Amino acid sequence: MNFTRWSARLPGTQRRAAARTDATTTTDRRGDGSVPAARAEQPADGTTAVPAVDDLSVRAVLDRVPALVALVHGPDHRLAHVNDAYTAAFGPRPAGTPAADALPELKELGLLPLLDQVLRSGRPRTLKSRKAPDGRSYTFTCTPVTEGDACGPGVLVFATDVTDHAEAAARLRASERRQRETAVTLQRSLLPQELEEPDDLRIAATYHPGGTEAAVGGDWYDVITLGGGRTALVIGDVMGRGVRAAAVMGQLRTAVRAYARLDLPPHEVLQLLDGLAMEIDANQIATCVYAVHDPNEGRLMYASAGHLPILVRDESGTVQRADEPTGPPLGTGGWMHASGSIPLGPGSTAVLYTDGLVERRDEDLDEGIAALERALAGATGTPQVVCDRLVRSAGVTADHADDVAVLVLQHPVRTGPESEKFRNAALELLGGVEAAPRARAFASGVLTSWRFPVELHDLGVLAASELVANSLQHGTPPMRLRLRRTDRRLIIEVTDGDDHLPRRRRAEPADESGRGIAIVATIASNWGCRRTPGGGKAVWCEFALPKG
């Protein structure tokens, strides 16, 4: 075996040790500088002779190498030599015995097939960081060697102790795992534990954290009942990963709920969120869609801050992608967002989602959205069924690289007895002294036809009268009174052309006005007001229906 040939293959420290040993054994070299070939020893039991390393200089070199070293020869890898480090780790090993019997620790680690590969290919192979029976971790490097005719080709096995590195890597992985678990726990705690259930919509949502150690991000969703039958829906994605992204997400979600209570148009909510995002962290941006469903309009009003388009499947199965407008992500500042709308009539299903559902490294984003459209076109059933089908069709698994949040809402078609629980009635108010009596008579007749209890009937007529009187005194035409019932509540709403919003105040004894809104707020379960897109306002109140 040529010393220069195999010592050059040693890793740095082993090669230097070999060089030092080589310098001390020059008297053992032949005149041409080569190392005498290993000779064959005849085993005592009379079996066929196998190669054995007998050259003192080679033995000295191998024994001085700090790594564990074993030299095997032939197709059955008969053991020729193990160095002192190997013996100290695993005990003495019988020379001339096949590795399967002589080196059981290598067999247990699955190294024997690697020896076959090295012998066949003539190329070195490495098996990284395997835990051996002695409890320590080693990286095994198998290098082909060429011997004299007596020995034949063989494999030199180096086992470098990497226990410290393996333990450090395990500690790092455990730390990353704990950090991820903390982020997932934080994020899940900040998401809605139970979705609010609007009267007119059926809703389901799902969240899948990314499967990699650092993949937990800031995806979130929410459902907010605004009163008066209207519902706000929001989905967003904070850029970045880990606890910081989850914390920013929690602050934005809390802010969305607060801004939603102002009952502002979607684009104004995003304007407020944009400013808040810059205050939270100027370097942290987020995408978001904020949408509002009004059952009276049969449409979904929305505004987008750099987020993916809403998809809506109508009753016939046709999928429509929400058009612009869309603005830049939250936290960029200096942009005026705008609201748009998309039909969402009875029988329709809408899907809001984050990019983890449709974005793939090897695909264009539009291809992912188009695939989601095709999946939605064939997805029927309850919102939860649709949600699960969309996630499966996108190939989202436990080890998915990115977070995924999906929000599915349906505006159901109501037929039969259920339809009797959802009724609408409206009256155009032309103004004048006859408007108030007409409004009271209309409200009384409608509530009677809906067979409400006497007490609820009287409260509803009183509330309608006060709201109409307030509109007649402070509003401008056109005016409308609308009554609506669901399976849970009675809603009374008056709209007019003036955008001045009323407020509840305490009327002094001498005041001739100011008591109408106070009366409504006292007798109703809830009340509110908002500006309408046409420049007017809507003032509403609602009463909870008795159960059963």
Side-chain angles (χ1 to χ4, degrees):
M1 179 174 63
N2 185 280
F3 176 85
T4 305
R5 180 191 307 146
W6 69 260
S7 65
R9 295 189 178 120
L10 291 172
T13 54
Q14 290 93 328
R15 186 166 59 249
R16 288 190 292 272
R20 288 193 298 271
T21 306
D22 180 48
T24 64
T25 58
T26 53
T27 57
D28 296 321
R29 292 182 181 272
R30 293 176 175 174
D32 59 1
S34 64
V35 178
R39 64 178 179 82
E41 293 183 353
Q42 184 69 29
D45 59 2
T47 59
T48 304
V50 298
V53 176
D54 190 40
D55 182 82
L56 295 179
S57 64
V58 175
R59 282 179 178 273
V61 169
L62 296 179
D63 288 338
R64 285 207 171 197
V65 171
L68 282 60
V69 177
L71 179 63
V72 297
H73 290 286
D76 53 356
H77 311 299
R78 291 183 177 272
L79 180 63
H81 180 68
V82 292
N83 70 346
D84 293 344
Y86 197 105
T87 301
F90 298 113
R93 292 292 184 265
T97 307
D101 300 320
L103 305 172
E105 57 278 355
L106 300 189
K107 180 180 180 180
E108 183 175 336
L109 292 170
L111 204 66
L112 298 186
L114 197 67
L115 299 179
D116 294 333
Q117 294 177 23
V118 172
L119 201 60
R120 287 195 305 267
S121 65
R123 295 181 178 181
R125 294 287 188 273
T126 298
L127 193 65
K128 294 184 178 181
S129 192
R130 291 295 179 93
K131 194 167 185 178
D134 66 347
R136 302 190 68 78
S137 296
Y138 298 90
T139 290
F140 293 88
T141 300
C142 302
T143 304
V145 295
T146 302
E147 297 291 347
D149 295 337
C151 298
V155 179
L156 198 63
V157 180
F158 294 92
T160 306
D161 191 337
V162 294
T163 303
D164 292 342
H165 295 84
E167 291 176 351
R171 288 193 297 270
L172 179 60
R173 288 193 298 270
S175 175
E176 291 175 343
R177 186 164 52 250
R178 286 192 298 270
Q179 183 180 16
R180 179 177 182 274
E181 290 171 355
T182 300
V184 170
T185 301
L186 173 62
Q187 183 157 358
R188 288 195 181 278
S189 68
L190 293 174
L191 290 173
Q193 303 305 301
E194 292 184 6
L195 291 176
E196 295 185 21
E197 299 180 1
D199 295 357
D200 297 278
L201 297 176
R202 295 171 181 166
I203 298 178
T206 187
Y207 168 71
H208 292 265
T212 60
E213 294 294 333
V216 178
D219 293 17
W220 94 93
Y221 56 82
D222 209 349
V223 178
I224 309 163
T225 52
L226 301 177
R230 302 166 75 247
T231 305
L233 307 119
V234 60
I235 195 163
D237 184 2
V238 176
M239 302 296 109
R241 294 290 181 265
V243 176
R244 177 60 182 168
V248 172
M249 175 273 287
Q251 294 178 77
L252 290 177
R253 176 176 173 256
T254 301
V256 168
R257 296 192 68 87
Y259 295 149
R261 300 305 178 192
L262 301 176
D263 215 343
L264 299 170
H267 65 277
E268 292 189 25
V269 172
L270 291 190
Q271 291 295 142
L272 294 172
L273 282 177
D274 184 40
L276 178 65
M278 295 183 67
E279 293 179 8
I280 293 174
D281 188 341
N283 298 318
Q284 193 88 51
I285 62 174
T287 64
C288 179
V289 166
Y290 181 84
V292 176
H293 175 253
D294 189 336
N296 296 318
E297 302 295 335
R299 301 187 69 84
L300 195 65
M301 298 290 296
Y302 67 91
S304 174
H307 204 79
L308 300 173
I310 299 172
L311 302 182
V312 176
R313 177 187 184 272
D314 64 19
E315 192 174 9
S316 67
T318 302
V319 176
Q320 181 179 355
R321 187 185 301 190
D323 297 327
E324 305 291 346
T326 183
L330 303 176
T332 55
W335 182 271
M336 293 299 293
H337 292 273
S339 294
S341 69
I342 187 170
L344 189 72
S348 297
T349 299
V351 179
L352 290 75
Y353 52 97
T354 56
D355 58 3
L357 186 67
V358 296
E359 190 173 34
R360 302 292 182 270
R361 290 184 178 180
D362 55 347
E363 291 182 3
D364 185 85
L365 182 59
D366 282 338
E367 294 179 6
I369 298 175
L372 182 62
E373 289 178 338
R374 293 190 294 270
L376 178 59
T380 58
T382 66
Q384 189 60 60
V385 170
V386 173
C387 196
D388 294 341
R389 288 189 62 178
L390 296 181
V391 170
R392 286 197 303 271
S393 70
V396 176
T397 60
D399 58 351
H400 194 65
D402 197 4
D403 290 37
V404 173
V406 183
L407 183 63
V408 175
L409 54 137
Q410 289 180 346
H411 188 181
V413 176
R414 305 186 189 277
T415 58
E418 187 182 24
S419 65
E420 295 298 319
K421 299 179 180 179
F422 292 81
R423 306 287 291 275
N424 286 277
L427 174 68
E428 299 293 336
L429 300 172
L430 302 178
V433 295
E434 76 282 358
R438 284 188 63 225
R440 286 194 294 270
F442 175 78
S444 178
V446 170
L447 298 182
T448 299
S449 69
W450 289 349
R451 299 180 181 179
F452 283 155
V454 174
E455 181 180 0
L456 181 58
H457 170 280
D458 293 344
L459 291 176
V461 171
L462 176 58
S465 177
E466 293 296 338
L467 292 181
V468 169
N470 180 78
S471 182
L472 290 171
Q473 183 173 0
H474 302 288
T476 60
M479 302 177 186
R480 172 185 285 185
L481 169 65
R482 176 184 284 132
L483 284 78
R484 186 166 188 275
R485 70 159 296 170
T486 71
D487 58 344
R488 303 177 196 173
R489 70 199 81 230
L490 165 66
I491 302 168
I492 301 171
E493 181 181 82
V494 175
T495 59
D496 64 55
D498 185 84
D499 64 357
H500 177 73
L501 300 180
R503 60 185 179 88
R504 184 180 181 181
R505 64 184 180 87
R506 183 186 297 275
E508 299 298 332
D511 291 343
E512 296 183 0
S513 63
R515 294 179 176 84
I517 296 299
I519 291 173
V520 171
T522 300
I523 65 175
S525 305
N526 193 14
W527 82 280
C529 57
R530 70 180 185 280
R531 291 186 173 89
T532 54
K537 68 175 179 293
V539 185
W540 56 268
C541 69
E542 57 186 31
F543 297 85
L545 300 186
K547 294 182 179 180

